[in-house]
Amino acid sequence: MTAIGDGRLGVRISPGINLHGALETNVQETESTYRTLVDALSQLGLAYLHTIGNPDTPILRDLLQRFNGITIVNTGWDPETDLTTATGLIDSGRADLIAVGRPFIANPDLVERWQNGHPLNTPDASAFYGGTNQGYTDYPTLDASGHSFG
Ligand SMILES: Cc1cc2nc3c(=O)[nH]c(=O)nc-3n(C[C@H](O)[C@H](O)[C@H](O)COP(=O)(O)O)c2cc1C
């Protein structure tokens, strides 16, 4: 933190997400652990706190409210992030920013597509974690008229 400054460091937490063998199965312990963590992080002047999971669950709502700084929300794996949900969370004040995963992987021009109501490419889940550029840098963009390139 002294090397880059507290305000340039963000932290992502994944309470109870239970992926890849990292298991938090005791709900009470998980919730009290994350409350303690977030209270401590609030003292540090971080750039942001980033969460994954439904922000309307009681524990995430509490963590997001008690954090003293900018919040970034990712709603989790199911459903995939969409524009309506993202803007709803911002407009209702439940998040300062929204993190987008799969739609951005599959749509290098996601911002323009969302702005103009254009259809989205479908992410190829079989290419996730694949170790090559396939499924990361080869999705087509749209031209100005909304037609697919490539
Ligand atoms: C290929 C891929 C790699 C990911 N790697 C990470 C990671 O290293 N750490 C992490 O916290 N989440 C990771 N995620 C999860 C995303 O940050 C995000 O929570 C998830 O994709 C759900 O959001 P979405 O509906 O916008 O895709 C990854 C997701 C994908 C598809």
Side-chain angles (χ1 to χ4, degrees), residues 26-116:
N26 181 322
V27 174
Q28 271 190 332
E29 183 185 82
T30 300
E31 293 188 359
S32 67
T33 298
Y34 279 95
R35 285 193 177 100
T36 303
L37 174 65
V38 168
D39 287 347
L41 293 174
S42 285
Q43 309 303 313
L44 301 179
L46 298 179
Y48 60 82
L49 177 74
H50 187 325
T51 61
I52 175 173
N54 180 349
D56 293 327
T57 57
I59 181 60
L60 275 184
R61 193 180 313 139
D62 180 44
L63 295 175
L64 289 163
Q65 280 173 358
R66 69 201 293 144
F67 181 67
N68 176 24
I70 298 293
T71 57
I72 304 179
V73 164
N74 177 264
T75 52
W77 289 95
D78 187 22
E80 187 175 291
T81 303
D82 63 61
L83 178 60
T84 304
T85 304
T87 51
L89 287 166
I90 300 279
D91 291 347
S92 64
R94 286 175 288 164
D96 294 314
L97 297 160
I98 303 298
V100 182
R102 291 163 294 178
F104 242 129
I105 290 175
N107 296 276
D109 51 354
L110 182 69
V111 173
E112 290 77 10
R113 288 178 191 244
W114 273 0
Q115 280 176 336
N116 296 300

Coordinates of all heavy atoms in Angstrom, one line a residue, residues 26-116:
N26 N -20.1 -21.9 6.7 CA -20.7 -21.5 7.9 C -21.2 -20.1 7.8 O -20.4 -19.1 7.8 CB -19.7 -21.6 9.1 CG -20.3 -21.2 10.4 OD1 -21.1 -20.3 10.5 ND2 -19.9 -22.0 11.5
V27 N -22.5 -19.9 7.6 CA -23.1 -18.6 7.3 C -22.8 -17.6 8.3 O -22.4 -16.4 8.0 CB -24.6 -18.7 7.1 CG1 -25.3 -17.4 6.8 CG2 -24.9 -19.6 5.9
Q28 N -23.0 -17.9 9.6 CA -22.8 -16.9 10.7 C -21.3 -16.4 10.7 O -21.0 -15.3 10.8 CB -23.1 -17.5 12.0 CG -24.6 -17.3 12.4 CD -24.9 -17.7 13.8 OE1 -24.2 -18.6 14.4 NE2 -25.8 -17.1 14.4
E29 N -20.4 -17.4 10.6 CA -19.0 -17.1 10.6 C -18.6 -16.3 9.4 O -17.9 -15.3 9.5 CB -18.2 -18.4 10.6 CG -16.7 -18.2 10.7 CD -15.9 -19.5 10.6 OE1 -15.7 -19.9 9.5 OE2 -15.6 -20.1 11.6
T30 N -19.1 -16.6 8.2 CA -18.9 -15.9 7.0 C -19.3 -14.4 7.1 O -18.6 -13.5 6.8 CB -19.6 -16.5 5.8 OG1 -19.1 -17.9 5.7 CG2 -19.3 -15.8 4.5
E31 N -20.5 -14.2 7.6 CA -21.1 -12.9 7.7 C -20.3 -12.0 8.7 O -19.9 -10.9 8.5 CB -22.6 -12.9 8.1 CG -23.4 -13.5 7.0 CD -24.9 -13.5 7.2 OE1 -25.3 -12.9 8.2 OE2 -25.6 -13.9 6.3
S32 N -19.9 -12.6 9.9 CA -19.2 -11.8 10.9 C -17.8 -11.5 10.4 O -17.3 -10.5 10.6 CB -19.2 -12.5 12.2 OG -18.5 -13.6 12.2
T33 N -17.2 -12.5 9.7 CA -15.9 -12.3 9.1 C -15.9 -11.1 8.1 O -15.0 -10.2 8.2 CB -15.4 -13.5 8.4 OG1 -15.3 -14.6 9.4 CG2 -14.0 -13.3 7.8
Y34 N -16.8 -11.1 7.2 CA -16.9 -10.0 6.2 C -17.2 -8.7 6.8 O -16.8 -7.6 6.4 CB -17.7 -10.4 5.0 CG -17.0 -11.4 4.1 CD1 -17.2 -12.7 4.2 CD2 -16.2 -10.9 3.1 CE1 -16.5 -13.6 3.4 CE2 -15.5 -11.7 2.3 CZ -15.6 -13.1 2.4 OH -14.9 -13.9 1.6
R35 N -18.1 -8.7 7.8 CA -18.4 -7.4 8.5 C -17.1 -6.8 9.1 O -16.9 -5.6 9.0 CB -19.5 -7.6 9.6 CG -20.9 -7.8 9.0 CD -22.0 -7.6 10.0 NE -23.3 -7.8 9.4 CZ -24.0 -8.9 9.3 NH1 -23.6 -10.0 10.0 NH2 -25.1 -8.9 8.7
T36 N -16.4 -7.7 9.8 CA -15.1 -7.2 10.4 C -14.2 -6.7 9.4 O -13.5 -5.7 9.5 CB -14.5 -8.4 11.2 OG1 -15.5 -8.8 12.2 CG2 -13.2 -7.9 11.9
L37 N -14.1 -7.5 8.3 CA -13.1 -7.1 7.2 C -13.5 -5.8 6.6 O -12.7 -4.9 6.4 CB -13.1 -8.2 6.1 CG -12.3 -7.9 4.8 CD1 -10.9 -7.8 5.2 CD2 -12.6 -8.9 3.8
V38 N -14.8 -5.6 6.3 CA -15.3 -4.4 5.6 C -15.1 -3.2 6.5 O -14.7 -2.1 6.1 CB -16.7 -4.5 5.1 CG1 -17.3 -3.2 4.7 CG2 -16.7 -5.5 3.9
D39 N -15.4 -3.3 7.8 CA -15.2 -2.2 8.8 C -13.7 -1.8 8.8 O -13.4 -0.6 8.9 CB -15.6 -2.6 10.2 CG -17.2 -2.7 10.3 OD1 -17.8 -2.2 9.3 OD2 -17.7 -3.2 11.2
A40 N -12.8 -2.8 8.7 CA -11.4 -2.5 8.8 C -11.0 -1.9 7.4 O -10.2 -0.9 7.4 CB -10.6 -3.8 9.0
L41 N -11.5 -2.4 6.3 CA -11.1 -1.8 5.0 C -11.6 -0.3 4.9 O -11.0 0.5 4.3 CB -11.7 -2.6 3.9 CG -11.2 -4.0 3.7 CD1 -12.0 -4.8 2.6 CD2 -9.7 -4.0 3.3
S42 N -12.7 0.0 5.6 CA -13.3 1.3 5.6 C -12.4 2.4 6.1 O -12.5 3.5 5.8 CB -14.6 1.4 6.3 OG -15.7 0.7 5.6
Q43 N -11.5 1.9 7.0 CA -10.5 2.9 7.6 C -9.4 3.2 6.7 O -8.6 4.1 7.0 CB -9.9 2.3 8.9 CG -10.9 1.7 9.9 CD -12.0 2.7 10.3 OE1 -11.6 3.8 10.7 NE2 -13.2 2.3 10.3
L44 N -9.2 2.6 5.6 CA -8.0 2.7 4.8 C -8.0 3.7 3.7 O -7.0 3.9 3.0 CB -7.6 1.3 4.3 CG -7.4 0.2 5.3 CD1 -7.0 -1.1 4.7 CD2 -6.3 0.6 6.3
G45 N -9.2 4.2 3.3 CA -9.3 5.1 2.2 C -9.0 4.5 0.9 O -8.3 5.1 0.0
L46 N -9.5 3.3 0.7 CA -9.3 2.5 -0.6 C -10.0 3.2 -1.8 O -10.9 4.0 -1.6 CB -9.8 1.1 -0.4 CG -9.1 0.2 0.6 CD1 -9.8 -1.2 0.7 CD2 -7.6 0.1 0.4
A47 N -9.6 2.8 -2.9 CA -10.2 3.3 -4.2 C -11.7 2.8 -4.2 O -12.6 3.5 -4.7 CB -9.4 2.9 -5.4
Y48 N -11.9 1.5 -3.9 CA -13.2 1.0 -4.0 C -13.3 -0.3 -3.2 O -12.3 -1.0 -3.0 CB -13.6 0.7 -5.4 CG -12.7 -0.2 -6.2 CD1 -12.9 -1.6 -6.1 CD2 -11.7 0.2 -7.0 CE1 -12.1 -2.5 -6.8 CE2 -10.9 -0.6 -7.7 CZ -11.1 -2.0 -7.6 OH -10.3 -2.9 -8.3
L49 N -14.5 -0.7 -2.9 CA -14.8 -2.1 -2.5 C -15.7 -2.7 -3.5 O -16.7 -2.1 -4.0 CB -15.6 -2.1 -1.1 CG -16.0 -3.5 -0.7 CD1 -14.8 -4.3 -0.1 CD2 -17.1 -3.4 0.4
H50 N -15.3 -3.9 -4.0 CA -16.0 -4.6 -5.1 C -16.6 -5.9 -4.6 O -15.9 -6.7 -3.9 CB -14.9 -4.8 -6.1 CG -15.3 -5.4 -7.4 ND1 -16.4 -6.3 -7.6 CD2 -14.8 -5.2 -8.7 CE1 -16.5 -6.5 -8.9 NE2 -15.5 -5.9 -9.5
T51 N -17.9 -6.1 -4.9 CA -18.5 -7.3 -4.4 C -19.0 -8.1 -5.5 O -19.3 -7.6 -6.6 CB -19.7 -7.0 -3.5 OG1 -20.7 -6.2 -4.2 CG2 -19.3 -6.2 -2.2
I52 N -19.2 -9.4 -5.3 CA -19.8 -10.3 -6.2 C -21.0 -11.0 -5.5 O -20.9 -11.4 -4.3 CB -18.9 -11.4 -6.9 CG1 -19.7 -12.3 -7.7 CG2 -18.1 -12.1 -5.8 CD1 -18.8 -13.3 -8.5
G53 N -22.1 -11.0 -6.2 CA -23.3 -11.7 -5.6 C -24.5 -10.7 -5.7 O -24.3 -9.5 -5.9
N54 N -25.7 -11.2 -5.4 CA -26.9 -10.4 -5.4 C -26.8 -9.3 -4.3 O -26.8 -9.6 -3.2 CB -28.1 -11.3 -5.2 CG -29.4 -10.5 -5.2 OD1 -29.4 -9.3 -5.2 ND2 -30.5 -11.2 -5.3
P55 N -26.8 -8.0 -4.7 CA -26.6 -7.0 -3.7 C -27.8 -6.7 -2.9 O -27.8 -6.0 -1.9 CB -26.3 -5.7 -4.6 CG -27.0 -6.0 -5.9 CD -26.9 -7.5 -6.1
D56 N -28.9 -7.4 -3.2 CA -30.1 -7.3 -2.4 C -30.2 -8.3 -1.3 O -31.1 -8.3 -0.5 CB -31.3 -7.4 -3.2 CG -31.4 -6.1 -4.2 OD1 -31.0 -5.1 -3.7 OD2 -31.9 -6.3 -5.3
T57 N -29.2 -9.3 -1.2 CA -29.2 -10.2 -0.1 C -28.9 -9.4 1.2 O -28.1 -8.4 1.1 CB -28.2 -11.3 -0.2 OG1 -26.9 -10.7 -0.4 CG2 -28.6 -12.2 -1.4
P58 N -29.4 -9.8 2.3 CA -29.1 -8.9 3.6 C -27.6 -8.7 3.8 O -27.2 -7.6 4.2 CB -29.8 -9.8 4.7 CG -30.9 -10.5 3.9 CD -30.4 -10.8 2.6
I59 N -26.8 -9.8 3.7 CA -25.4 -9.6 4.0 C -24.7 -8.6 3.0 O -24.0 -7.7 3.5 CB -24.7 -10.9 4.1 CG1 -23.2 -10.7 4.5 CG2 -24.8 -11.8 2.8 CD1 -23.0 -10.0 5.8
L60 N -25.0 -8.8 1.7 CA -24.3 -7.9 0.8 C -24.9 -6.4 0.9 O -24.1 -5.5 0.9 CB -24.5 -8.3 -0.6 CG -23.4 -9.4 -1.1 CD1 -23.5 -9.7 -2.5 CD2 -22.0 -8.9 -0.8
R61 N -26.1 -6.3 1.2 CA -26.7 -4.9 1.4 C -26.0 -4.3 2.6 O -25.6 -3.1 2.5 CB -28.2 -5.0 1.6 CG -28.8 -3.6 1.5 CD -30.3 -3.7 1.7 NE -31.0 -4.7 1.0 CZ -32.0 -5.5 1.4 NH1 -32.4 -5.3 2.7 NH2 -32.6 -6.4 0.7
D62 N -25.8 -5.1 3.6 CA -25.2 -4.5 4.8 C -23.7 -4.2 4.5 O -23.3 -3.1 4.9 CB -25.3 -5.6 6.0 CG -24.6 -5.1 7.2 OD1 -24.8 -3.9 7.6 OD2 -23.8 -5.8 7.8
L63 N -23.0 -5.0 3.9 CA -21.6 -4.8 3.6 C -21.4 -3.5 2.7 O -20.5 -2.7 2.9 CB -20.9 -6.0 3.0 CG -20.8 -7.3 3.8 CD1 -20.3 -8.4 3.0 CD2 -20.0 -7.0 5.1
L64 N -22.3 -3.4 1.7 CA -22.2 -2.3 0.8 C -22.5 -1.0 1.5 O -21.9 0.1 1.3 CB -23.1 -2.5 -0.4 CG -22.6 -3.6 -1.4 CD1 -23.8 -4.0 -2.3 CD2 -21.5 -3.1 -2.2
Q65 N -23.5 -1.0 2.4 CA -23.8 0.2 3.2 C -22.8 0.6 4.2 O -22.5 1.8 4.4 CB -25.2 0.0 3.9 CG -26.4 0.2 2.9 CD -27.7 -0.2 3.5 OE1 -27.8 -0.6 4.7 NE2 -28.7 -0.1 2.7
R66 N -22.2 -0.4 4.8 CA -21.2 -0.1 5.9 C -19.8 0.3 5.3 O -19.0 0.9 6.1 CB -21.1 -1.2 6.9 CG -20.5 -2.4 6.5 CD -20.9 -3.6 7.4 NE -20.3 -3.5 8.7 CZ -21.0 -3.9 9.9 NH1 -22.2 -4.4 9.8 NH2 -20.4 -3.7 11.0
F67 N -19.6 0.0 4.0 CA -18.3 0.4 3.5 C -18.2 2.0 3.3 O -19.1 2.5 2.7 CB -18.0 -0.3 2.2 CG -16.6 0.1 1.6 CD1 -15.5 -0.2 2.3 CD2 -16.5 0.9 0.5 CE1 -14.2 0.2 1.8 CE2 -15.3 1.3 0.0 CZ -14.1 0.9 0.6
N68 N -17.2 2.6 3.7 CA -17.0 4.0 3.7 C -16.2 4.4 2.4 O -15.1 4.8 2.5 CB -16.3 4.4 5.0 CG -15.9 5.9 5.0 OD1 -16.6 6.6 4.4 ND2 -14.9 6.2 5.8
G69 N -16.9 4.3 1.3 CA -16.2 4.6 0.0 C -17.0 4.2 -1.2 O -18.1 3.8 -1.1
I70 N -16.3 4.2 -2.3 CA -16.9 3.8 -3.6 C -17.1 2.3 -3.6 O -16.3 1.5 -3.3 CB -16.0 4.2 -4.8 CG1 -15.8 5.7 -4.8 CG2 -16.5 3.7 -6.1 CD1 -17.0 6.5 -5.1
T71 N -18.4 1.9 -4.1 CA -18.7 0.5 -4.2 C -18.8 0.1 -5.7 O -19.4 0.9 -6.5 CB -20.0 0.1 -3.5 OG1 -21.0 1.0 -4.0 CG2 -19.8 0.4 -2.0
I72 N -18.3 -1.0 -6.0 CA -18.5 -1.7 -7.3 C -19.2 -3.0 -7.1 O -18.7 -3.8 -6.3 CB -17.2 -1.9 -8.1 CG1 -16.4 -0.6 -8.2 CG2 -17.4 -2.5 -9.4 CD1 -15.0 -0.7 -8.9
V73 N -20.3 -3.2 -7.8 CA -21.1 -4.4 -7.7 C -21.0 -5.2 -8.9 O -21.1 -4.7 -10.0 CB -22.6 -4.0 -7.3 CG1 -23.5 -5.2 -7.5 CG2 -22.7 -3.5 -5.9
N74 N -20.8 -6.5 -8.7 CA -21.0 -7.5 -9.8 C -22.1 -8.5 -9.3 O -21.9 -9.0 -8.2 CB -19.8 -8.3 -10.2 CG -20.1 -9.3 -11.3 OD1 -20.3 -10.5 -10.9 ND2 -20.1 -8.9 -12.5
T75 N -23.2 -8.7 -10.0 CA -24.3 -9.4 -9.5 C -24.1 -10.9 -9.4 O -25.0 -11.6 -8.9 CB -25.6 -9.0 -10.3 OG1 -25.3 -9.2 -11.7 CG2 -26.0 -7.6 -10.1
G76 N -23.0 -11.4 -10.0 CA -22.8 -12.8 -9.8 C -23.0 -13.6 -11.2 O -23.2 -13.0 -12.2
W77 N -23.0 -14.9 -11.1 CA -22.9 -15.7 -12.3 C -24.3 -15.9 -12.9 O -24.4 -16.1 -14.1 CB -22.3 -17.1 -12.0 CG -20.9 -17.0 -11.7 CD1 -20.2 -16.9 -10.5 CD2 -19.8 -17.0 -12.7 NE1 -18.9 -16.8 -10.7 CE2 -18.6 -16.8 -12.0 CE3 -19.8 -17.0 -14.1 CZ2 -17.4 -16.8 -12.7 CZ3 -18.6 -17.0 -14.8 CH2 -17.4 -16.9 -14.1
D78 N -25.4 -15.8 -12.1 CA -26.7 -16.2 -12.7 C -27.7 -15.2 -12.2 O -28.0 -15.2 -11.0 CB -27.1 -17.6 -12.3 CG -28.3 -18.0 -13.0 OD1 -28.6 -17.5 -14.0 OD2 -29.0 -19.0 -12.5
P79 N -28.2 -14.3 -13.1 CA -28.0 -14.3 -14.5 C -26.8 -13.4 -14.8 O -26.3 -12.7 -14.0 CB -29.3 -13.6 -15.0 CG -29.7 -12.6 -13.9 CD -29.3 -13.3 -12.6
E80 N -26.4 -13.5 -16.1 CA -25.3 -12.7 -16.7 C -25.7 -11.2 -16.5 O -26.9 -10.8 -16.7 CB -25.1 -13.0 -18.1 CG -24.0 -12.4 -18.8 CD -23.8 -12.9 -20.2 OE1 -23.5 -14.1 -20.4 OE2 -24.1 -12.1 -21.2
T81 N -24.8 -10.3 -16.2 CA -25.0 -8.9 -16.1 C -25.7 -8.4 -17.4 O -25.3 -8.6 -18.5 CB -23.7 -8.1 -15.9 OG1 -23.1 -8.6 -14.8 CG2 -24.0 -6.6 -15.7
D82 N -26.8 -7.6 -17.2 CA -27.4 -6.9 -18.3 C -27.6 -5.4 -18.0 O -27.5 -5.0 -16.8 CB -28.7 -7.6 -18.7 CG -29.8 -7.5 -17.6 OD1 -30.1 -6.3 -17.2 OD2 -30.2 -8.5 -17.1
L83 N -27.9 -4.7 -19.1 CA -27.9 -3.2 -18.9 C -29.0 -2.7 -18.0 O -28.8 -1.8 -17.2 CB -28.1 -2.6 -20.3 CG -28.3 -1.1 -20.4 CD1 -27.0 -0.4 -19.8 CD2 -28.5 -0.6 -21.8
T84 N -30.2 -3.4 -18.0 CA -31.3 -3.0 -17.2 C -30.9 -3.1 -15.7 O -31.2 -2.2 -14.9 CB -32.6 -3.8 -17.5 OG1 -32.8 -3.6 -18.9 CG2 -33.7 -3.3 -16.7
T85 N -30.4 -4.3 -15.4 CA -30.0 -4.5 -14.0 C -28.9 -3.5 -13.6 O -28.9 -2.9 -12.5 CB -29.5 -5.9 -13.8 OG1 -30.5 -6.8 -14.3 CG2 -29.1 -6.2 -12.4
A86 N -27.9 -3.3 -14.5 CA -26.8 -2.4 -14.1 C -27.3 -1.0 -13.9 O -27.0 -0.4 -12.8 CB -25.8 -2.5 -15.2
T87 N -28.1 -0.5 -14.8 CA -28.5 0.9 -14.6 C -29.5 1.0 -13.4 O -29.5 2.0 -12.7 CB -29.2 1.5 -15.9 OG1 -30.2 0.5 -16.3 CG2 -28.2 1.6 -17.0
G88 N -30.3 0.0 -13.2 CA -31.2 0.0 -12.0 C -30.4 0.1 -10.7 O -30.9 0.8 -9.8
L89 N -29.3 -0.7 -10.6 CA -28.5 -0.6 -9.4 C -27.9 0.7 -9.1 O -27.9 1.2 -8.0 CB -27.5 -1.7 -9.4 CG -28.0 -3.1 -9.2 CD1 -26.9 -4.2 -9.6 CD2 -28.4 -3.4 -7.8
I90 N -27.4 1.3 -10.2 CA -26.8 2.7 -10.1 C -27.9 3.7 -9.8 O -27.8 4.5 -8.8 CB -26.2 3.1 -11.4 CG1 -25.1 2.1 -11.9 CG2 -25.6 4.5 -11.4 CD1 -23.8 2.3 -11.2
D91 N -29.0 3.7 -10.5 CA -30.1 4.7 -10.3 C -30.7 4.6 -8.9 O -31.1 5.7 -8.4 CB -31.1 4.5 -11.4 CG -30.6 4.9 -12.8 OD1 -29.5 5.5 -12.9 OD2 -31.3 4.6 -13.8
S92 N -30.8 3.4 -8.4 CA -31.4 3.3 -7.0 C -30.4 3.5 -5.9 O -30.7 3.4 -4.7 CB -32.0 1.9 -6.9 OG -30.9 0.9 -7.0
G93 N -29.1 3.8 -6.3 CA -28.1 4.1 -5.3 C -27.6 2.9 -4.6 O -26.8 3.0 -3.6
R94 N -27.8 1.7 -5.1 CA -27.3 0.5 -4.5 C -25.9 0.2 -4.8 O -25.3 -0.7 -4.2 CB -28.3 -0.7 -4.8 CG -29.6 -0.6 -4.0 CD -30.5 -1.8 -4.4 NE -31.0 -1.5 -5.8 CZ -31.6 -2.4 -6.5 NH1 -31.8 -3.7 -6.1 NH2 -32.1 -2.1 -7.7
A95 N -25.4 0.8 -5.8 CA -24.0 0.7 -6.2 C -23.5 2.0 -6.8 O -24.3 2.7 -7.5 CB -23.8 -0.5 -7.2
D96 N -22.2 2.3 -6.7 CA -21.7 3.4 -7.4 C -21.3 3.0 -8.8 O -21.4 3.8 -9.7 CB -20.4 3.9 -6.6 CG -20.8 4.5 -5.3 OD1 -21.8 5.3 -5.2 OD2 -20.1 4.1 -4.3
L97 N -20.8 1.8 -9.0 CA -20.3 1.3 -10.3 C -20.7 -0.1 -10.4 O -20.9 -0.8 -9.4 CB -18.8 1.5 -10.5 CG -18.2 2.9 -10.4 CD1 -16.7 2.8 -10.1 CD2 -18.4 3.6 -11.7
I98 N -20.8 -0.6 -11.7 CA -21.1 -2.0 -11.9 C -20.0 -2.6 -12.7 O -19.5 -2.0 -13.7 CB -22.4 -2.1 -12.8 CG1 -23.6 -1.4 -12.1 CG2 -22.7 -3.6 -13.1 CD1 -24.0 -2.0 -10.7
A99 N -19.5 -3.8 -12.3 CA -18.5 -4.5 -13.0 C -19.2 -5.6 -13.9 O -20.1 -6.2 -13.5 CB -17.6 -5.3 -12.0
V100 N -18.7 -5.6 -15.2 CA -19.3 -6.5 -16.2 C -18.2 -7.5 -16.6 O -17.1 -7.1 -17.0 CB -19.8 -5.6 -17.4 CG1 -20.5 -6.5 -18.4 CG2 -20.8 -4.6 -16.9
G101 N -18.6 -8.7 -16.6 CA -17.6 -9.8 -17.0 C -17.9 -10.3 -18.4 O -17.4 -9.8 -19.4
R102 N -18.7 -11.4 -18.5 CA -18.9 -12.1 -19.7 C -19.4 -11.2 -20.9 O -18.9 -11.4 -22.0 CB -19.9 -13.3 -19.5 CG -19.2 -14.4 -18.7 CD -20.2 -15.3 -18.1 NE -21.1 -14.6 -17.1 CZ -22.1 -15.2 -16.5 NH1 -22.4 -16.4 -16.7 NH2 -22.8 -14.5 -15.6
P103 N -20.4 -10.3 -20.7 CA -20.8 -9.5 -21.9 C -19.6 -8.7 -22.4 O -19.5 -8.5 -23.7 CB -21.8 -8.5 -21.3 CG -22.4 -9.3 -20.1 CD -21.2 -10.0 -19.5
F104 N -18.6 -8.2 -21.6 CA -17.5 -7.5 -22.1 C -16.5 -8.4 -22.8 O -15.9 -8.0 -23.8 CB -16.8 -6.7 -21.0 CG -16.8 -5.3 -21.1 CD1 -17.2 -4.4 -20.1 CD2 -16.4 -4.7 -22.3 CE1 -17.3 -3.1 -20.2 CE2 -16.5 -3.3 -22.5 CZ -16.9 -2.5 -21.4
I105 N -16.4 -9.6 -22.3 CA -15.5 -10.5 -23.0 C -15.9 -10.8 -24.4 O -15.2 -10.8 -25.4 CB -15.4 -11.9 -22.2 CG1 -14.6 -11.7 -20.9 CG2 -14.7 -13.0 -23.1 CD1 -14.6 -12.9 -20.0
A106 N -17.3 -11.0 -24.6 CA -17.8 -11.3 -25.9 C -18.1 -10.1 -26.8 O -18.4 -10.3 -28.0 CB -19.1 -12.1 -25.7
N107 N -18.1 -8.9 -26.2 CA -18.4 -7.7 -27.0 C -17.4 -6.6 -26.7 O -17.6 -5.8 -25.8 CB -19.8 -7.3 -26.6 CG -20.9 -8.3 -26.9 OD1 -21.4 -8.3 -28.1 ND2 -21.3 -9.1 -26.0
P108 N -16.4 -6.6 -27.5 CA -15.4 -5.5 -27.3 C -15.9 -4.1 -27.4 O -15.4 -3.2 -26.8 CB -14.3 -5.8 -28.4 CG -15.0 -6.7 -29.4 CD -16.1 -7.4 -28.7
D109 N -17.1 -4.0 -28.1 CA -17.7 -2.7 -28.2 C -19.0 -2.7 -27.4 O -20.0 -2.1 -27.8 CB -18.0 -2.3 -29.7 CG -18.7 -3.5 -30.4 OD1 -18.9 -4.6 -29.8 OD2 -19.1 -3.3 -31.6
L110 N -19.0 -3.3 -26.2 CA -20.2 -3.4 -25.4 C -20.8 -2.0 -25.1 O -22.0 -1.9 -25.1 CB -19.9 -4.1 -24.1 CG -21.1 -4.3 -23.1 CD1 -22.0 -5.3 -23.7 CD2 -20.6 -4.7 -21.7
V111 N -20.0 -1.0 -24.8 CA -20.6 0.3 -24.5 C -21.4 0.8 -25.6 O -22.6 1.2 -25.4 CB -19.4 1.3 -24.1 CG1 -20.0 2.7 -23.9 CG2 -18.7 0.8 -22.8
E112 N -20.9 0.8 -26.8 CA -21.6 1.3 -28.0 C -22.9 0.4 -28.2 O -23.9 0.9 -28.6 CB -20.8 1.2 -29.2 CG -19.6 2.3 -29.3 CD -18.4 1.9 -28.4 OE1 -18.4 0.7 -27.9 OE2 -17.6 2.7 -28.2
R113 N -22.8 -0.9 -28.0 CA -23.9 -1.8 -28.2 C -25.0 -1.4 -27.2 O -26.2 -1.3 -27.6 CB -23.5 -3.2 -28.1 CG -22.7 -3.7 -29.3 CD -22.3 -5.2 -29.1 NE -21.3 -5.7 -30.0 CZ -21.6 -6.6 -30.9 NH1 -22.7 -7.2 -31.0 NH2 -20.6 -7.0 -31.8
W114 N -24.7 -1.3 -26.0 CA -25.6 -0.9 -24.9 C -26.2 0.5 -25.2 O -27.4 0.7 -25.1 CB -25.0 -1.0 -23.5 CG -25.1 -2.4 -22.9 CD1 -25.6 -3.5 -23.5 CD2 -24.6 -2.8 -21.6 NE1 -25.5 -4.6 -22.6 CE2 -24.9 -4.1 -21.5 CE3 -23.9 -2.1 -20.6 CZ2 -24.5 -4.9 -20.3 CZ3 -23.6 -2.8 -19.4 CH2 -23.9 -4.2 -19.3
Q115 N -25.4 1.4 -25.6 CA -25.9 2.8 -25.8 C -26.9 2.8 -27.0 O -27.8 3.6 -26.9 CB -24.7 3.7 -26.2 CG -23.9 4.2 -25.0 CD -22.7 5.0 -25.4 OE1 -22.2 4.9 -26.5 NE2 -22.3 5.9 -24.5
N116 N -26.7 1.9 -28.0 CA -27.5 2.0 -29.2 C -28.5 0.9 -29.3 O -29.2 0.8 -30.3 CB -26.6 2.0 -30.4 CG -25.7 3.2 -30.5 OD1 -26.2 4.3 -30.5 ND2 -24.4 3.0 -30.4

